Amino acid sequence: MPPAGPTYDLVIAANRLPVDKVVADDGEVEWRRSPGGLVTAMESVMRTQPGAWVGWAGDAGEAPEPFDEHGIYLHPVSLSADEVRDYYEGFANDTLWPIYHDVIVPATFHREWWASYQAVNERFAEAVAQVAAEGARVWVQDYQLQLVPALVRKLRPDVRIGWFNHIPFPPVELFAQLPWRAQLLEGLLGADFLGFQRQADARNFVRACRQLLGASTKRDRVTVEGAHRQVRAAAIPISVDFQGLEELAKRPDVMARAREIRASVGDPEVLMLGVDRLDYTKGIRHRLKAYEELLSERHLGPPEVTLVQVATPSRERVDAYRNLRAEIEQTVGRINGELGKIGAPAVHYMHHSYPREEMAALFQAADVMLVTPLRDGMNLVAKEYVTCRHDLGGALVLSEFTGAWHELHQAFACNPHDIEGLKQTILRAVNTPAKDKQRIMKALRRRVADHDVQRWAARYLAALDAAPDQPSPETRGRPTPHAQETPLMPAPAEAAEAAEAAGTAGTPARGVRS
Ligand code: ADP
Ligand code: F6P
């Protein structure tokens, strides 16, 4: 089928577009920034180069016409109300999400959800095939679209296909529970290069291919299609737009707002902050429990200490999320009722989304940032916090079960399951001398500055271009335009590392053990 509209050399496919369509009661349409780390990261990558973004507009029904937004061509994919229920809330967020996050809540399996997941993945693949230029790079995102790589390969054997998983990839013992495990692996193996947050995730994937498909694997490679093709799976951890966010955090109005926030919660000696999508993976309950005990044991207390908990609304029609919200709100009410003072609540709880400026101000206002997930692919909030602390103030308490912890070792590490340990870590973060905390913050900031999202994208695309696949029969003999055409090639200083990540340096890639 010839393309009906413009085509692009770089095409992103993600469940959500970077903006959600919101229809007000009077029928007025408004576009709002979509929630989550994927959009934060991919939006800053896509703003720096021409490309198309294929995704859902967040609303059931017909898809809006494609449109340009800040230089990105947005190509909406429609989801019916049934598909929102079965593909998005059901299979993506009630089957895959729990399995991929250590089964913190039980996963639900329904064959009709799987059918819907297949149908929606097919629709995404068709949309990608329409907007991808000859020989384009197609970059599929996350667990919602695991069948898309193989489907796109069938429709468009000329394109180069990558997939990046923003969330963990589970150990084979958990993944094996999925009745459709083989189809999911085969869907992913349609890609040329598969990127993961941690080495452990990439290893889990390769092991699943070996054990569940009987595929032949060597180090980070899986051989497919009767030995005609190889797919590489490696860790390339995602990051934030350090420079852009730091600039924002240095703006005088943002810094003034940070002071205003502190004043509005009573200028406490210690302002603690939690910022999360309201998701059971984020360990909000564990954080509140530790905080409540610290207060009731009188280690801490308002008005000297207060906690601001920002919980972004998320997946509100899925039972586990509804139950979590009720539980968190009840707990906050109890803590404030029992341990707050008039004019000095122990917890300030906000269930909203905020503009980026407000988030940057909140981060600057916080003396202690509590990042306590039970499992998290990366956790960009942790990286955003240190990026905003150009004053070297603040302390980051960080769960060992986040991808971020694998890079931010100097943070105050915690195991959120160990409430006693978490309490001690919070107290250490409060009581460590300012000078030592500044030294720690400096090291954390250096790490994020050196490994920002632009570098991540450059490394990813270099790895995709250099992936071991032989050109398919259809494209053999044709020049491969990718390597020369990318505007996001790594800077010279990064070239060696990118080559290493791409597996072209003759040694195993960094972050991938053989
Ligand atoms: P996830 O992708 O699971 O939501 P991350 O921590 O990786 O988790 O990313 C969350 C992103 O959403 C960050 O960029 C963070 O700043 C943003 N965010 C979280 N809460 C809010 C909020 N209340 N308002 C605006 N942005 C938010
Ligand atoms: O990677 C985690 C993720 O699922 C992303 O796909 C998305 O950025 C975020 O969480 C928000 O989730 P949802 O799109 O379901 O609101």
Side-chain angles (χ1 to χ4, degrees):
M1 188 177 53
T7 61
Y8 291 83
D9 289 331
L10 177 63
V11 179
I12 302 289
N15 174 55
R16 276 186 195 278
L17 290 173
V19 283
D20 273 350
K21 182 178 161 197
V22 182
V23 185
D25 290 342
D26 61 2
E28 186 102 350
V29 172
E30 197 195 321
W31 290 92
R32 280 196 211 143
R33 192 152 187 270
S34 311
L38 184 156
V39 163
T40 307
M42 295 314 299
E43 201 185 18
S44 33
V45 169
M46 292 300 280
R47 287 218 191 289
T48 59
Q49 58 188 315
W53 186 317
V54 172
W56 171 48
D59 191 30
E62 248 178 64
E65 285 302 308
F67 60 104
D68 274 296
E69 219 245 355
H70 298 297
I72 313 173
Y73 180 76
L74 303 187
H75 182 104
V77 171
S78 67
L79 292 190
S80 67
D82 285 356
E83 286 168 342
V84 173
R85 187 192 60 211
D86 295 347
Y87 148 78
Y88 168 70
E89 293 164 349
F91 198 79
N93 290 319
D94 213 2
T95 304
L96 295 176
W97 185 267
I99 292 275
Y100 284 41
H101 287 89
D102 289 357
V103 199
I104 296 166
V105 304
T108 308
F109 303 122
H110 286 306
R111 281 165 283 186
E112 29 334 334
W113 289 1
W114 166 245
S116 183
Y117 185 82
Q118 287 174 290
V120 172
N121 271 245
E122 275 164 24
R123 195 168 312 137
F124 269 81
E126 280 156 17
V128 165
Q130 242 183 58
V131 294
E134 180 76 22
R137 292 144 141 184
V138 170
W139 192 357
V140 184
Q141 310 289 321
D142 235 355
Y143 62 101
Q144 299 97 339
L145 302 180
Q146 293 178 85
L147 306 180
V148 170
L151 292 165
V152 169
R153 180 170 289 277
K154 251 200 222 140
L155 294 169
R156 290 290 304 271
D158 59 298
V159 299
R160 197 87 174 147
I161 306 166
W163 176 79
F164 184 79
N165 200 27
H166 292 252
I167 68 172
F169 196 88
V172 64
E173 294 74 13
L174 293 181
F175 185 78
Q177 290 181 19
L178 283 162
W180 309 280
R181 61 200 193 184
Q183 291 97 314
L184 289 165
L185 294 176
E186 280 157 4
L188 291 175
L189 289 170
D192 297 290
F193 176 66
L194 300 165
F196 296 85
Q197 300 279 26
R198 301 171 310 150
Q199 298 169 45
D201 298 316
R203 280 202 298 267
N204 285 345
F205 172 79
V206 172
R207 201 171 297 138
C209 291
R210 194 168 56 241
Q211 293 186 11
L212 301 173
L213 293 183
S216 136
T217 67
K218 192 167 179 206
R219 296 203 307 233
D220 59 354
R221 317 271 156 123
V222 183
T223 302
V224 292
E225 291 171 13
H228 288 307
R229 220 163 57 78
Q230 278 198 333
V231 180
R232 179 161 177 255
I236 300 196
I238 200 165
S239 194
V240 297
D241 176 13
F242 185 88
Q243 207 189 330
L245 186 55
E246 192 193 40
E247 261 168 39
L248 181 74
K250 282 183 171 167
R251 259 173 37 189
D253 58 320
V254 171
M255 291 170 66
R257 176 65 191 144
R259 290 191 291 276
E260 205 176 285
I261 290 172
R262 287 191 72 91
S264 67
V265 295
D267 265 326
E269 280 169 27
V270 182
L271 193 162
M272 302 207 192
L273 176 67
V275 171
D276 317 80
R277 259 184 323 99
L278 193 37
D279 194 301
Y280 51 81
T281 59
K282 302 289 182 182
I284 306 172
R285 282 182 302 187
H286 297 65
R287 184 185 310 164
L288 289 175
K289 185 157 184 56
Y291 180 67
E292 182 176 16
E293 289 189 13
L294 285 170
L295 262 52
S296 58
E297 291 162 9
R298 302 192 184 284
H299 295 290
L300 303 172
E304 291 80 14
V305 175
T306 196
L307 168 65
V308 175
Q309 174 64 55
V310 178
T312 323
S314 188
R315 307 171 189 169
E316 297 200 290
R317 296 197 317 176
V318 179
D319 280 348
Y321 289 76
R322 236 197 323 252
N323 297 340
L324 176 74
R325 179 172 174 190
E327 198 184 331
I328 297 294
E329 295 187 351
Q330 201 180 15
T331 307
V332 168
R334 189 187 61 236
I335 297 176
N336 277 333
E338 290 176 5
L339 299 160
K341 300 201 169 124
I342 289 180
V347 186
H348 298 259
Y349 171 79
M350 256 69 66
H351 187 244
H352 313 286
S353 274
Y354 291 105
R356 273 162 41 86
E357 290 78 0
E358 184 73 359
M359 299 304 292
L362 270 166
F363 289 140
Q364 283 189 70
D367 300 298
V368 178
M369 181 80 217
L370 300 174
V371 179
T372 59
L374 308 178
R375 174 61 73 206
D376 206 335
M378 173 49 65
N379 198 284
L380 291 181
V381 164
K383 291 185 171 181
E384 289 172 353
Y385 177 65
V386 303
T387 302
C388 288
R389 298 316 304 246
H390 50 83
D391 60 344
L392 302 187
L396 173 64
V397 170
L398 183 59
S399 162
E400 294 162 11
F401 303 111
T402 61
W405 182 77
H406 292 263
E407 296 177 69
L408 304 178
H409 279 294
Q410 297 92 340
F412 292 88
C414 70
N415 168 4
H417 297 281
D418 171 9
I419 299 297
E420 216 42 63
L422 177 55
K423 284 159 62 183
Q424 294 312 316
T425 307
I426 293 174
L427 288 178
R428 258 194 320 119
V430 171
N431 295 325
T432 296
K435 235 175 153 186
D436 295 337
K437 286 199 271 206
Q438 284 173 4
R439 196 175 29 76
I440 293 171
M441 187 54 75
K442 207 169 178 177
L444 297 176
R445 285 171 53 75
R446 194 175 313 124
R447 169 72 204 188
V448 181
D450 288 349
H451 294 80
D452 66 358
V453 74
Q454 283 78 18
R455 178 170 172 170
W456 168 78
R459 289 184 66 202
Y460 186 94
L461 292 173
L464 174 60
D465 292 342
D469 184 18
Q470 293 300 308
S472 58
E474 290 84 345
T475 57
R476 206 165 279 152
R478 241 192 257 160
T480 42
H482 326 286
Q484 300 86 31
E485 283 181 9
T486 168
L488 252 187
M489 284 303 282
E494 291 169 357
E497 192 186 357
E500 195 188 355
T504 54
T507 52
R510 171 182 289 194
V512 180
R513 262 208 281 151
S514 47

